Amino acid sequence: MFRSTQSKYPLVSYKDAVLNCLPGDGGLYVPDQAADFRQYFLHMDEKTSFNELVAAIAPSLLEGGLNPVSSLRVVESAYNFKPELIELDDGFFILNLYNGPTGVFKDFGIAFMSAMFEEFMKDGGQAMILAAARPDTGVSMAHAFSGRKGISLVLLYPSGQIRGLDPSSFVQNGGNIIPIQVKGTFDDCQRLVIETINDREFSERYNITSANTINPGRLFPQIFYYLYAFNQVKNRLNGDLIFSVPSGNFGNLIAGLYAWKFGMPVNGFIAAMNSNNAMGDYIQGKPFVPKNLIFTNSPALDVAVPINYDRLASFYDEAPAVMRNMVYQASVNDVLTLETMEYVYKKYNAYIDPHTAVAFAAARKIEAERKWKGNTNTIVLATGHPARSANLAEKATGKAIKTPEFLKELWKKCDPIALIPPQLDAFEGAIVSCF
Ligand SMILES: *Cc1c(COP(=O)(O)O)cnc(C)c1O
């Protein structure tokens, strides 16, 4: 069962939390009790496939939402890609999470969520999903939701950012995707999503929910790749295990914390930030004071106030001392980011993207400070395909990187089906006119 970060009651089922993703009190949904995955680990090792693992574990994580049969259906419909763990050095691993259709780790949560929505609608329901979109997550969501029965997806883009969508999937061409451009910023889009959901009459009429990580349906499937990585390494671990996670809105790190809370034996996490590092103070036990946004070369980490702040805070409120021993923070500037991309290329003959470089450099920093005594195994989460930042990769390494065709498609410009001012009535009017 799930509850709001703001109160212990009411409890709602996972399905209800997904379909109705904002509690009325301004909080965010979090699990009320801990699941326990340990029983499953006994049956899993490095030969267990990602889909086998997800199909087995999802019913216990998403109790009441999926059963063993529907779980298998959802997994097979969600994933034709998987994480890939690579050992670069003795005990130093990189977990490639960019093998999905749009080259970012967010494909994992979004693909599972879209397949699960379709499963929830299979008895004839209709739902509308709203999402504030940036170019990359927009494509990822459109890709995952396109053609799903019983669902329409409304993507709100800030000015000038629509790219890579397939017009044949748009609602006026018989599809189910509705891209709308807002004359405003990403924050305006995010605010419009929340205002629309909180307009209860309107959101009930269209059965509206959101596909941003405020929705637990997208955040919790991100647990699966942590468990997969753990099962890949557990039989050869010699010493501690830590994950280094490039963190912007902190959805990825929080998924890791839940994996731990639900039984994955891990010794620590590194919250790796670029120069937007205000959360670092919070992690060290000081109050969170937002700082002005700085634009860096790892833009997905350019976040002033993480949207998942309340979820992270709920961990610290419960057990502050435990959290201080569990989560470490490091901040990596643009210069070190580029140097790290160069270092990895020279030492391992591999490209990494700038977000991954932030996590890589953070892991090296923390190791150098000897926060962990004894032997440490480190898994760095590689969140973005290196060719998504081809210019930067070339600048760092001196060698041009080859961009796969499917990534080139993602940068093609396209038109919205409506252009609106950043106001609730304009947005609701645009939705109504589609039906
Ligand atoms: C979104 C994103 C991140 C940050 O993930 P959060 O869950 O927001 O912390 C890191 N790297 C890449 C490539 C991303 O797209």
mmCIF file of all heavy atoms in Angstrom, residues 289-324:
data_model
loop_
_atom_site.group_PDB
_atom_site.id
_atom_site.type_symbol
_atom_site.label_atom_id
_atom_site.label_comp_id
_atom_site.label_asym_id
_atom_site.label_seq_id
_atom_site.Cartn_x
_atom_site.Cartn_y
_atom_site.Cartn_z
ATOM 1 N N VAL A 289 18.948 24.363 1.407
ATOM 2 C CA VAL A 289 18.741 25.737 0.955
ATOM 3 C C VAL A 289 18.994 25.770 -0.552
ATOM 4 O O VAL A 289 20.137 25.592 -0.985
ATOM 5 C CB VAL A 289 19.716 26.699 1.665
ATOM 6 C CG1 VAL A 289 19.431 28.132 1.235
ATOM 7 C CG2 VAL A 289 19.618 26.549 3.173
ATOM 8 N N PRO A 290 17.925 25.955 -1.353
ATOM 9 C CA PRO A 290 18.126 25.954 -2.813
ATOM 10 C C PRO A 290 19.104 27.047 -3.237
ATOM 11 O O PRO A 290 19.178 28.109 -2.619
ATOM 12 C CB PRO A 290 16.727 26.240 -3.361
ATOM 13 C CG PRO A 290 15.790 25.933 -2.258
ATOM 14 C CD PRO A 290 16.530 26.185 -0.982
ATOM 15 N N LYS A 291 19.885 26.744 -4.292
ATOM 16 C CA LYS A 291 20.797 27.745 -4.854
ATOM 17 C C LYS A 291 20.326 28.072 -6.262
ATOM 18 O O LYS A 291 19.520 27.338 -6.841
ATOM 19 C CB LYS A 291 22.212 27.170 -4.935
ATOM 20 C CG LYS A 291 22.817 26.775 -3.596
ATOM 21 C CD LYS A 291 24.235 26.243 -3.805
ATOM 22 C CE LYS A 291 24.780 25.625 -2.528
ATOM 23 N NZ LYS A 291 25.996 24.841 -2.750
ATOM 24 N N ASN A 292 20.873 29.170 -6.820
ATOM 25 C CA ASN A 292 20.510 29.516 -8.196
ATOM 26 C C ASN A 292 20.981 28.429 -9.153
ATOM 27 O O ASN A 292 22.036 27.830 -8.945
ATOM 28 C CB ASN A 292 21.159 30.839 -8.601
ATOM 29 C CG ASN A 292 20.476 32.005 -7.913
ATOM 30 O OD1 ASN A 292 19.305 31.895 -7.519
ATOM 31 N ND2 ASN A 292 21.207 33.097 -7.760
ATOM 32 N N LEU A 293 20.176 28.232 -10.200
ATOM 33 C CA LEU A 293 20.498 27.204 -11.176
ATOM 34 C C LEU A 293 21.734 27.602 -11.984
ATOM 35 O O LEU A 293 21.867 28.736 -12.423
ATOM 36 C CB LEU A 293 19.300 27.030 -12.109
ATOM 37 C CG LEU A 293 19.313 25.783 -12.971
ATOM 38 C CD1 LEU A 293 19.175 24.544 -12.106
ATOM 39 C CD2 LEU A 293 18.182 25.843 -13.981
ATOM 40 N N ILE A 294 22.642 26.642 -12.163
ATOM 41 C CA ILE A 294 23.824 26.855 -13.002
ATOM 42 C C ILE A 294 23.692 25.939 -14.219
ATOM 43 O O ILE A 294 23.344 24.770 -14.068
ATOM 44 C CB ILE A 294 25.109 26.483 -12.228
ATOM 45 C CG1 ILE A 294 25.228 27.327 -10.960
ATOM 46 C CG2 ILE A 294 26.342 26.629 -13.099
ATOM 47 C CD1 ILE A 294 26.293 26.824 -10.006
ATOM 48 N N PHE A 295 23.955 26.471 -15.418
ATOM 49 C CA PHE A 295 23.902 25.623 -16.612
ATOM 50 C C PHE A 295 25.250 24.952 -16.817
ATOM 51 O O PHE A 295 26.276 25.609 -16.858
ATOM 52 C CB PHE A 295 23.486 26.449 -17.831
ATOM 53 C CG PHE A 295 22.056 26.911 -17.730
ATOM 54 C CD1 PHE A 295 21.750 28.189 -17.262
ATOM 55 C CD2 PHE A 295 21.015 26.042 -18.050
ATOM 56 C CE1 PHE A 295 20.432 28.606 -17.143
ATOM 57 C CE2 PHE A 295 19.693 26.452 -17.932
ATOM 58 C CZ PHE A 295 19.401 27.730 -17.477
ATOM 59 N N THR A 296 25.254 23.646 -16.924
ATOM 60 C CA THR A 296 26.494 22.883 -17.021
ATOM 61 C C THR A 296 26.488 22.011 -18.273
ATOM 62 O O THR A 296 25.525 21.984 -19.020
ATOM 63 C CB THR A 296 26.643 21.949 -15.803
ATOM 64 O OG1 THR A 296 25.715 20.871 -15.965
ATOM 65 C CG2 THR A 296 26.369 22.668 -14.503
ATOM 66 N N ASN A 297 27.556 21.227 -18.449
ATOM 67 C CA ASN A 297 27.560 20.307 -19.592
ATOM 68 C C ASN A 297 26.946 18.936 -19.261
ATOM 69 O O ASN A 297 27.017 18.014 -20.047
ATOM 70 C CB ASN A 297 28.957 20.206 -20.223
ATOM 71 C CG ASN A 297 30.010 19.726 -19.244
ATOM 72 O OD1 ASN A 297 29.691 19.092 -18.238
ATOM 73 N ND2 ASN A 297 31.268 20.004 -19.525
ATOM 74 N N SER A 298 26.343 18.820 -18.075
ATOM 75 C CA SER A 298 25.522 17.624 -17.778
ATOM 76 C C SER A 298 24.099 18.100 -17.443
ATOM 77 O O SER A 298 23.670 18.093 -16.291
ATOM 78 C CB SER A 298 26.123 16.832 -16.612
ATOM 79 O OG SER A 298 26.514 17.683 -15.543
ATOM 80 N N PRO A 299 23.362 18.563 -18.483
ATOM 81 C CA PRO A 299 22.126 19.328 -18.268
ATOM 82 C C PRO A 299 21.024 18.586 -17.508
ATOM 83 O O PRO A 299 20.212 19.230 -16.849
ATOM 84 C CB PRO A 299 21.654 19.674 -19.680
ATOM 85 C CG PRO A 299 22.376 18.741 -20.590
ATOM 86 C CD PRO A 299 23.673 18.400 -19.922
ATOM 87 N N ALA A 300 20.982 17.251 -17.582
ATOM 88 C CA ALA A 300 19.908 16.538 -16.870
ATOM 89 C C ALA A 300 20.099 16.639 -15.354
ATOM 90 O O ALA A 300 19.198 16.302 -14.587
ATOM 91 C CB ALA A 300 19.844 15.082 -17.304
ATOM 92 N N LEU A 301 21.272 17.100 -14.938
ATOM 93 C CA LEU A 301 21.510 17.282 -13.499
ATOM 94 C C LEU A 301 21.360 18.746 -13.090
ATOM 95 O O LEU A 301 21.615 19.099 -11.935
ATOM 96 C CB LEU A 301 22.910 16.785 -13.119
ATOM 97 C CG LEU A 301 23.306 15.394 -13.630
ATOM 98 C CD1 LEU A 301 24.676 14.998 -13.091
ATOM 99 C CD2 LEU A 301 22.267 14.350 -13.256
ATOM 100 N N ASP A 302 20.968 19.594 -14.031
ATOM 101 C CA ASP A 302 20.791 21.013 -13.716
ATOM 102 C C ASP A 302 19.402 21.216 -13.112
ATOM 103 O O ASP A 302 18.452 21.595 -13.797
ATOM 104 C CB ASP A 302 20.955 21.874 -14.978
ATOM 105 C CG ASP A 302 22.376 21.833 -15.526
ATOM 106 O OD1 ASP A 302 23.270 21.326 -14.817
ATOM 107 O OD2 ASP A 302 22.584 22.294 -16.658
ATOM 108 N N VAL A 303 19.290 20.952 -11.839
ATOM 109 C CA VAL A 303 18.016 21.033 -11.134
ATOM 110 C C VAL A 303 18.261 21.809 -9.844
ATOM 111 O O VAL A 303 19.213 21.514 -9.116
ATOM 112 C CB VAL A 303 17.490 19.617 -10.787
ATOM 113 C CG1 VAL A 303 16.211 19.699 -9.975
ATOM 114 C CG2 VAL A 303 17.262 18.798 -12.045
ATOM 115 N N ALA A 304 17.429 22.817 -9.589
ATOM 116 C CA ALA A 304 17.622 23.611 -8.369
ATOM 117 C C ALA A 304 16.917 22.951 -7.183
ATOM 118 O O ALA A 304 17.478 22.819 -6.103
ATOM 119 C CB ALA A 304 17.110 25.030 -8.580
ATOM 120 N N VAL A 305 15.661 22.534 -7.393
ATOM 121 C CA VAL A 305 14.900 21.871 -6.339
ATOM 122 C C VAL A 305 14.417 20.525 -6.896
ATOM 123 O O VAL A 305 13.539 20.492 -7.751
ATOM 124 C CB VAL A 305 13.679 22.715 -5.911
ATOM 125 C CG1 VAL A 305 12.912 21.997 -4.801
ATOM 126 C CG2 VAL A 305 14.120 24.099 -5.455
ATOM 127 N N PRO A 306 15.007 19.417 -6.435
ATOM 128 C CA PRO A 306 14.619 18.117 -6.995
ATOM 129 C C PRO A 306 13.142 17.831 -6.758
ATOM 130 O O PRO A 306 12.631 18.043 -5.652
ATOM 131 C CB PRO A 306 15.471 17.109 -6.217
ATOM 132 C CG PRO A 306 16.527 17.896 -5.551
ATOM 133 C CD PRO A 306 16.028 19.291 -5.389
ATOM 134 N N ILE A 307 12.472 17.346 -7.797
ATOM 135 C CA ILE A 307 11.033 17.108 -7.684
ATOM 136 C C ILE A 307 10.750 16.000 -6.668
ATOM 137 O O ILE A 307 9.685 15.939 -6.073
ATOM 138 C CB ILE A 307 10.441 16.809 -9.081
ATOM 139 C CG1 ILE A 307 8.933 16.983 -9.079
ATOM 140 C CG2 ILE A 307 10.819 15.440 -9.579
ATOM 141 C CD1 ILE A 307 8.342 17.125 -10.450
ATOM 142 N N ASN A 308 11.727 15.121 -6.439
ATOM 143 C CA ASN A 308 11.535 14.029 -5.479
ATOM 144 C C ASN A 308 12.032 14.372 -4.074
ATOM 145 O O ASN A 308 12.246 13.474 -3.255
ATOM 146 C CB ASN A 308 12.255 12.776 -5.976
ATOM 147 C CG ASN A 308 11.523 12.133 -7.132
ATOM 148 O OD1 ASN A 308 10.379 11.709 -6.975
ATOM 149 N ND2 ASN A 308 12.160 12.081 -8.293
ATOM 150 N N TYR A 309 12.225 15.655 -3.804
ATOM 151 C CA TYR A 309 12.775 16.055 -2.502
ATOM 152 C C TYR A 309 12.007 15.419 -1.338
ATOM 153 O O TYR A 309 12.609 14.881 -0.396
ATOM 154 C CB TYR A 309 12.749 17.584 -2.382
ATOM 155 C CG TYR A 309 13.180 18.052 -1.017
ATOM 156 C CD1 TYR A 309 14.526 18.186 -0.702
ATOM 157 C CD2 TYR A 309 12.227 18.338 -0.031
ATOM 158 C CE1 TYR A 309 14.923 18.584 0.562
ATOM 159 C CE2 TYR A 309 12.618 18.738 1.241
ATOM 160 C CZ TYR A 309 13.967 18.861 1.521
ATOM 161 O OH TYR A 309 14.352 19.241 2.775
ATOM 162 N N ASP A 310 10.665 15.457 -1.389
ATOM 163 C CA ASP A 310 9.871 14.924 -0.267
ATOM 164 C C ASP A 310 10.105 13.436 -0.056
ATOM 165 O O ASP A 310 10.070 12.948 1.076
ATOM 166 C CB ASP A 310 8.369 15.137 -0.525
ATOM 167 C CG ASP A 310 7.945 16.572 -0.254
ATOM 168 O OD1 ASP A 310 8.819 17.365 0.164
ATOM 169 O OD2 ASP A 310 6.770 16.891 -0.477
ATOM 170 N N ARG A 311 10.333 12.745 -1.144
ATOM 171 C CA ARG A 311 10.564 11.300 -1.001
ATOM 172 C C ARG A 311 11.911 11.043 -0.338
ATOM 173 O O ARG A 311 12.049 10.158 0.510
ATOM 174 C CB ARG A 311 10.525 10.607 -2.362
ATOM 175 C CG ARG A 311 9.125 10.498 -2.937
ATOM 176 C CD ARG A 311 9.091 9.489 -4.084
ATOM 177 N NE ARG A 311 7.730 9.270 -4.547
ATOM 178 C CZ ARG A 311 7.266 9.631 -5.741
ATOM 179 N NH1 ARG A 311 8.063 10.236 -6.603
ATOM 180 N NH2 ARG A 311 6.023 9.397 -6.071
ATOM 181 N N LEU A 312 12.920 11.807 -0.721
ATOM 182 C CA LEU A 312 14.224 11.644 -0.078
ATOM 183 C C LEU A 312 14.128 12.015 1.396
ATOM 184 O O LEU A 312 14.624 11.311 2.281
ATOM 185 C CB LEU A 312 15.263 12.522 -0.784
ATOM 186 C CG LEU A 312 16.718 12.222 -0.401
ATOM 187 C CD1 LEU A 312 17.127 10.835 -0.894
ATOM 188 C CD2 LEU A 312 17.667 13.261 -0.967
ATOM 189 N N ALA A 313 13.436 13.131 1.644
ATOM 190 C CA ALA A 313 13.291 13.588 3.032
ATOM 191 C C ALA A 313 12.597 12.532 3.891
ATOM 192 O O ALA A 313 12.896 12.402 5.080
ATOM 193 C CB ALA A 313 12.532 14.913 3.074
ATOM 194 N N SER A 314 11.689 11.758 3.287
ATOM 195 C CA SER A 314 10.979 10.770 4.098
ATOM 196 C C SER A 314 11.944 9.688 4.595
ATOM 197 O O SER A 314 11.761 9.138 5.677
ATOM 198 C CB SER A 314 9.779 10.177 3.344
ATOM 199 O OG SER A 314 10.188 9.247 2.385
ATOM 200 N N PHE A 315 12.992 9.392 3.833
ATOM 201 C CA PHE A 315 14.029 8.470 4.322
ATOM 202 C C PHE A 315 14.782 9.078 5.509
ATOM 203 O O PHE A 315 15.040 8.413 6.502
ATOM 204 C CB PHE A 315 15.054 8.178 3.222
ATOM 205 C CG PHE A 315 14.670 7.039 2.325
ATOM 206 C CD1 PHE A 315 13.984 7.266 1.152
ATOM 207 C CD2 PHE A 315 15.017 5.733 2.653
ATOM 208 C CE1 PHE A 315 13.633 6.217 0.323
ATOM 209 C CE2 PHE A 315 14.681 4.675 1.830
ATOM 210 C CZ PHE A 315 13.986 4.916 0.662
ATOM 211 N N TYR A 316 15.141 10.349 5.374
ATOM 212 C CA TYR A 316 15.949 10.995 6.420
ATOM 213 C C TYR A 316 15.130 11.236 7.683
ATOM 214 O O TYR A 316 15.657 11.152 8.789
ATOM 215 C CB TYR A 316 16.552 12.300 5.893
ATOM 216 C CG TYR A 316 17.770 12.051 5.022
ATOM 217 C CD1 TYR A 316 17.609 11.746 3.673
ATOM 218 C CD2 TYR A 316 19.060 12.080 5.537
ATOM 219 C CE1 TYR A 316 18.705 11.485 2.862
ATOM 220 C CE2 TYR A 316 20.162 11.824 4.732
ATOM 221 C CZ TYR A 316 19.987 11.533 3.402
ATOM 222 O OH TYR A 316 21.075 11.272 2.615
ATOM 223 N N ASP A 317 13.842 11.538 7.500
ATOM 224 C CA ASP A 317 13.001 11.749 8.679
ATOM 225 C C ASP A 317 12.893 10.468 9.494
ATOM 226 O O ASP A 317 12.863 10.501 10.719
ATOM 227 C CB ASP A 317 11.588 12.205 8.257
ATOM 228 C CG ASP A 317 11.614 13.595 7.657
ATOM 229 O OD1 ASP A 317 12.658 14.269 7.812
ATOM 230 O OD2 ASP A 317 10.627 14.004 7.020
ATOM 231 N N GLU A 318 12.832 9.338 8.783
ATOM 232 C CA GLU A 318 12.662 8.069 9.463
ATOM 233 C C GLU A 318 13.914 7.679 10.240
ATOM 234 O O GLU A 318 13.827 7.215 11.375
ATOM 235 C CB GLU A 318 12.360 6.982 8.425
ATOM 236 C CG GLU A 318 11.200 6.086 8.761
ATOM 237 C CD GLU A 318 10.765 5.286 7.545
ATOM 238 O OE1 GLU A 318 11.487 4.336 7.211
ATOM 239 O OE2 GLU A 318 9.736 5.642 6.928
ATOM 240 N N ALA A 319 15.081 7.851 9.641
ATOM 241 C CA ALA A 319 16.318 7.356 10.269
ATOM 242 C C ALA A 319 17.519 8.190 9.839
ATOM 243 O O ALA A 319 18.324 7.755 9.021
ATOM 244 C CB ALA A 319 16.523 5.888 9.890
ATOM 245 N N PRO A 320 17.648 9.400 10.399
ATOM 246 C CA PRO A 320 18.714 10.294 9.928
ATOM 247 C C PRO A 320 20.126 9.720 10.091
ATOM 248 O O PRO A 320 20.958 9.855 9.195
ATOM 249 C CB PRO A 320 18.538 11.562 10.777
ATOM 250 C CG PRO A 320 17.437 11.296 11.736
ATOM 251 C CD PRO A 320 16.785 9.999 11.400
ATOM 252 N N ALA A 321 20.390 9.059 11.200
ATOM 253 C CA ALA A 321 21.748 8.565 11.442
ATOM 254 C C ALA A 321 22.094 7.457 10.445
ATOM 255 O O ALA A 321 23.198 7.420 9.889
ATOM 256 C CB ALA A 321 21.874 8.057 12.873
ATOM 257 N N VAL A 322 21.120 6.580 10.191
ATOM 258 C CA VAL A 322 21.349 5.498 9.225
ATOM 259 C C VAL A 322 21.658 6.099 7.854
ATOM 260 O O VAL A 322 22.583 5.682 7.146
ATOM 261 C CB VAL A 322 20.103 4.589 9.138
ATOM 262 C CG1 VAL A 322 20.284 3.510 8.069
ATOM 263 C CG2 VAL A 322 19.803 3.955 10.476
ATOM 264 N N MET A 323 20.888 7.111 7.471
ATOM 265 C CA MET A 323 21.065 7.693 6.144
ATOM 266 C C MET A 323 22.434 8.346 5.992
ATOM 267 O O MET A 323 23.029 8.311 4.930
ATOM 268 C CB MET A 323 19.966 8.729 5.864
ATOM 269 C CG MET A 323 18.572 8.143 5.771
ATOM 270 S SD MET A 323 18.471 6.666 4.729
ATOM 271 C CE MET A 323 18.825 7.386 3.135
ATOM 272 N N ARG A 324 22.936 8.945 7.078
ATOM 273 C CA ARG A 324 24.246 9.593 6.966
ATOM 274 C C ARG A 324 25.361 8.585 6.697
ATOM 275 O O ARG A 324 26.365 8.913 6.085
ATOM 276 C CB ARG A 324 24.542 10.439 8.202
ATOM 277 C CG ARG A 324 24.078 11.883 8.004
ATOM 278 C CD ARG A 324 24.717 12.836 8.971
ATOM 279 N NE ARG A 324 24.263 12.594 10.327
ATOM 280 C CZ ARG A 324 23.047 12.936 10.779
ATOM 281 N NH1 ARG A 324 22.179 13.512 9.982
ATOM 282 N NH2 ARG A 324 22.728 12.694 12.025
#
